[in-house]
Amino acid sequence: MSLRIVVCVKYVPDATGDRHFADDLTVDRDDVDGLLSELDEYAVEQALQIADEADDAEITVLTVGPEDAKDALRKALSMGADKAVHVEDDDLHGTDVMGTSLVLAKAIEQTGYDLVITGMASTDGTMGVLPAILAERLGVPQVTLLSEVSVEDGVVKGRRDGDSASEQLEASLPAVVSVTDQSGEARYPSFKGIMAAKKKPVQSLDLDDLGIDADEVGLEGSWTQVDSATERPARTAGSILKDEGEGGKQLAEFLAGQKFI
Amino acid sequence: MAEVLVYVDHVDGAVRKPTLELLTLARRIGEPVAVALGNGAEATAEVLAEHGAVKVLTADAPEFADYLVVPKVDALQAAYEAVSAGGSLAAVLVPSSAEAKEIAARLAVRIGSGIITDAVDLEAGQEGPVATQAVFAASYTTKSRVSKGTPVITVKPNSAPVEAAPAAGAVEALTVSFGEKSTGTKVVSRTPRESTGRPELTEAAIVVSGGRGVNGAENFHVIEELADSLGAPSALARRRRRRLVPALQPGRPDRQVGLPAAVHRLRHLRRDPAPGRHADLEDDRRRQQGRRGPDLRPRRLRRGRRPLHGRPAADRRGQGPQGLTCASLAAPQSAGAVW
Ligand SMILES: Cc1cc2nc3c(=O)[nH]c(=O)nc-3n(C[C@H](O)[C@H](O)[C@H](O)COP(=O)(O)OP(=O)(O)OC[C@H]3O[C@@H](n4cnc5c(N)ncnc54)[C@H](O)[C@@H]3O)c2cc1C
Ligand SMILES: Nc1ncnc2c1ncn2[C@@H]1O[C@H](COP(=O)(O)O)[C@@H](O)[C@H]1O
């Protein structure tokens, strides 16, 4: 039996660009260049490694996002994933984490899965809770925030480095796994990979295909409401002390002056 | 007066500081009812009472330690049901630690409530608690509310002062029945993290962070020493992953800071830039863009990232006799969140 892996990847505005909000207080995804969330590259990488170890595996990358989110799927395909599913629907604009997780869960169920892999957090919303919510919705074990992961004989094992302890975890498949940025460098797509990705299938789904009502998602269906977004005033430059022999003293004076010490 | 459920983050009975900060915020909304789970749960009551908990619901069972997250969700749900049966539960507040956030999120799904994560402030509002979030590397501040169900809100460390506010803090045992899914993920072993004797990076008010400016891992001790003298944790400044200089892997910093490590909002965090460079990546980026003029290519062609480092390596080094060219600090009052 083939191991079916679904990797959730998010298309996010480039963090080195000028990220901002649109008039309706949603993220402006039109004016700012987007890309595959950096933290989701780790999820794709671990999927590829797990697939390498398995006798037979198939990796589907899944995104819920606007048209341009195809770029994120392409990147994941060019890294080596086999196929992609793109959930796109104008009614999804403004969806919060509850709506997004509902859509992802339906799409994952429809695709069929043994293992779901996600990043630890997106680089735009940065909530870091979607994997736990997916596990709750799918009714399968949550094996999250792993810095090491392996799958063998239908069991997923991994190391979770928590705030106060490092834990070895174990669960039977099917399961939802999230991996951290400590799980291992993500590969760069090779030229061959990039060419091959162009021929890989990308399935498009909308809300109807998933049997979800428009009023369960979007700004209207959102269970949270953003009332305002204010840009931070320009930051004043920090002080730079150049050490020409007296740097230590200057630094101490600075610290004392600012009441750090 | 309405009640506010506060999830307690503790290690064997020792309550972590962010939970005490949470009690300060909870008191703005109603009467805090604390929920403490696992080994040492009852031992938390005294300090919670000193900081405003009118009641402390406790439960301990092997499941909390032996299985990941879900048993705690079952227990928090039991607390939610017990308190909301009284009819006046205003919110569920949870510290923004990795595990507590996951617990909060799963509870929110179960009780059909919206969730707001990583609030940095909280006030009572006409239509329920209003949460402030610092987003996009703190370049924006948003105000949000939960519009469905009982608001579930997770709050970042250092969002409010710890305040003494003595209350009854009556301990009550919470009855929990664990669901069928609670044993799904087994914790096979647990190794406590070695304490560095410094505050946790995620909870610290001051962080001393060093990077390429120290010119090699062997010099990282200057950062450590400064950190120790301030009673602060040290950190390895991290630019984007691929640009991290491999030779500068930790002397022994407590952790890395910077995108995309999950340690965002710190009150006085300043990254240590290389000499002559500004501390903030986004500002760097804007300045560089300014220097070159706007990108006039059609958006579709603007995919690739621009190089961030136009400067020759030699220019980024250069260490003075006291090894301190790396220091860049900001006044406490002006320091916002950096990544
Ligand atoms: C600044 C900001 C703040 C927000 N705050 C809130 C809030 O407080 N409450 C709320 O309900 N919503 C909030 N949202 C909306 C929420 O971020 C989105 O609905 C989002 O898709 C899910 O949350 P996340 O990206 O933070 O997920 P995270 O939990 O951070 O993501 C973890 C992983 O889930 C997967 N994933 C996440 N989104 C997608 C996707 N669209 N497609 C495929 N995989 C995905 C990825 O693998 C990712 O690594 C916020 C959005 C922004 C931009
Ligand atoms: N047209 C769309 N199709 C599918 N998903 C979308 C669309 N617009 C936004 N989203 C997703 O909905 C969530 C909220 O997006 P936004 O409204 O842009 O903040 C994110 O997960 C987006 O990726």
Side-chain angles (χ1 to χ4, degrees), chain B residues 84-162:
Chain B
S84 59
S88 63
L89 181 58
V92 180
L93 303 186
V94 177
S96 277
S97 73
E99 185 189 66
K101 262 178 22 175
E102 294 183 327
I103 294 167
R106 295 187 70 141
L107 174 78
V109 178
R110 290 187 186 182
I111 66 177
S113 288
I115 180 169
I116 290 174
T117 54
D118 299 330
V120 296
D121 199 4
L122 203 58
E123 298 149 60
Q126 298 251 300
E127 295 158 287
V130 178
T132 305
Q133 285 169 295
V135 307
F136 295 158
S139 58
Y140 277 86
T141 301
T142 59
K143 294 211 186 266
S144 315
R145 287 176 290 121
V146 169
S147 48
K148 180 167 179 292
T150 303
V152 178
I153 300 171
T154 83
V155 179
K156 286 212 148 190
N158 290 316
S159 296
V162 173

Side-chain angles (χ1 to χ4, degrees), chain A residues 178-199:
Chain A
S178 78
V179 298
T180 73
D181 57 342
Q182 304 299 306
S183 59
E185 282 292 297
R187 68 194 66 187
Y188 285 103
S190 64
F191 180 70
K192 213 173 121 212
I194 294 169
M195 297 314 287
K198 297 188 170 152
K199 299 200 191 77

Side-chain angles (χ1 to χ4, degrees), chain A residues 147-200:
Chain A
S147 44
E148 243 173 53
V149 59
S150 65
V151 174
E152 216 175 316
D153 302 327
V155 174
V156 52
K157 294 184 184 177
R159 191 182 80 236
R160 169 175 165 117
D161 292 321
D163 291 332
S164 57
S166 176
E167 296 163 326
Q168 285 295 332
L169 305 179
E170 209 176 283
S172 304
L173 297 183
V176 174
V177 160
S178 78
V179 298
T180 73
D181 57 342
Q182 304 299 306
S183 59
E185 282 292 297
R187 68 194 66 187
Y188 285 103
S190 64
F191 180 70
K192 213 173 121 212
I194 294 169
M195 297 314 287
K198 297 188 170 152
K199 299 200 191 77
K200 291 177 178 171

